[in-house]
Amino acid sequence: MKSFKFKVHENNYHVTLLSHEGNTIELEVNGTKYEVQLQEEVKTTKTPTLVRSASKRPVEPLKVNPSSKKTKILAPIPGSILMVDVKVGDSVKVGDRLVQLEAMKMENNITSEKAGKITAVLVSVGQKVLQNEVMIELE
């Protein structure tokens, strides 16, 4: 089958793979035949696995400046819009649900932290949003 040359601790080894069936491999090392058993079958993935390190700081809750005229409601995490409960011109008070966002198979209610009037709805049902993307503006 395949032949390999190895050098381990200044010793040269010529290895030839003779056969491979299931977890049994027959090979020849420097003219001596060996039959070895794999502990478990090695499976290779075609796509790489992306590993992201944990955030160094805790997630900060959305804070609104009560003195500002215009408030932007941002997506706290990436996800899909399940429901939009408001439209332009609606008046909302603190705690009213504005949008329902699905992220990581969880439904998240995005509520208003400031009373006001909706001036823009920038998302629609089924739309995917990224973290910190503006979803709604209110005055």
Side-chain angles (χ1 to χ4, degrees):
M1 274 180 123
K2 292 186 178 182
S3 293
F4 301 94
K5 291 183 181 180
F6 297 101
K7 188 170 192 173
V8 180
H9 299 293
E10 302 301 320
N11 295 321
N12 292 319
Y13 296 94
H14 180 73
V15 179
T16 304
L17 295 176
L18 302 174
S19 68
H20 177 233
E21 291 182 27
N23 289 348
T24 304
I25 297 177
E26 189 176 324
L27 50 94
E28 185 178 289
V29 179
N30 291 344
T32 305
K33 289 186 181 182
Y34 296 94
E35 188 174 290
V36 295
Q37 298 286 325
L38 293 174
Q39 288 183 346
E40 59 183 57
E41 190 173 336
V42 178
K43 295 182 181 181
T44 58
T45 59
K46 292 183 181 180
T47 53
T49 302
L50 300 177
V51 178
R52 189 168 70 173
S53 62
S55 176
K56 306 256 186 298
R57 60 185 177 93
V59 176
E60 298 171 8
L62 178 67
K63 297 290 181 203
V64 256
N65 182 356
S67 63
S68 69
K69 284 278 190 191
K70 210 169 219 178
T71 301
K72 294 180 180 181
I73 306 298
L74 306 176
I77 51 179
S80 300
I81 304 297
L82 289 180
M83 280 193 258
V84 179
D85 296 324
V86 293
K87 58 186 181 301
V88 175
D90 286 354
S91 293
V92 293
K93 54 186 186 272
V94 176
D96 284 353
R97 184 172 77 176
L98 306 173
V99 173
Q100 190 172 44
L101 177 71
E102 178 186 30
M104 297 182 290
K105 298 185 180 181
M106 297 285 293
E107 296 175 359
N108 302 283
N109 292 325
I110 309 301
T111 59
S112 177
E113 292 189 11
K114 180 180 175 185
K117 183 177 178 182
I118 304 295
T119 57
V121 177
L122 305 171
V123 293
S124 58
V125 174
Q127 180 180 339
K128 306 265 190 244
V129 293
L130 298 174
Q131 185 173 4
N132 295 328
E133 187 172 334
V134 178
M135 297 187 295
I136 295 178
E137 293 179 353
L138 62 105
E139 288 186 335

